[in-house]
Amino acid sequence: MRFYYYAKGSCGELLTQLLIAIETSSVPKEPALLLVKETREIAKVIATIIQKDKRKN
């Protein structure tokens, strides 16, 4: 379970770095926005796994 929390935190870190990279024009905007969308989707999946596990226990 601990690793799910780590993974969710890592998604948050990646999201922050992507948004900074977009703001500073360090990366092309469109591909980075796609990565932002995918990162948010992955974070939602991890959050769902965490919630389901909490309900089991």
Side-chain angles (χ1 to χ4, degrees):
M1 191 61 169
R2 171 178 36 163
F3 295 106
Y4 287 125
Y5 284 105
Y6 292 160
K8 192 164 182 313
S10 293
C11 282
E13 291 174 9
L14 175 59
L15 182 59
T16 300
Q17 294 299 318
L18 285 168
L19 294 174
I20 291 169
I22 292 168
E23 278 293 312
T24 60
S25 301
S26 299
V27 296
K29 188 174 183 177
E30 293 308 314
L33 288 175
L34 179 60
L35 291 173
V36 166
K37 181 181 176 187
E38 290 177 6
T39 302
R40 286 181 173 152
E41 289 174 15
I42 292 168
K44 285 180 189 178
V45 169
I46 295 168
T48 300
I49 292 169
I50 291 170
Q51 290 303 313
K52 285 184 179 183
D53 192 67
K54 281 184 178 180
R55 288 186 209 133
K56 277 196 310 188
N57 295 327

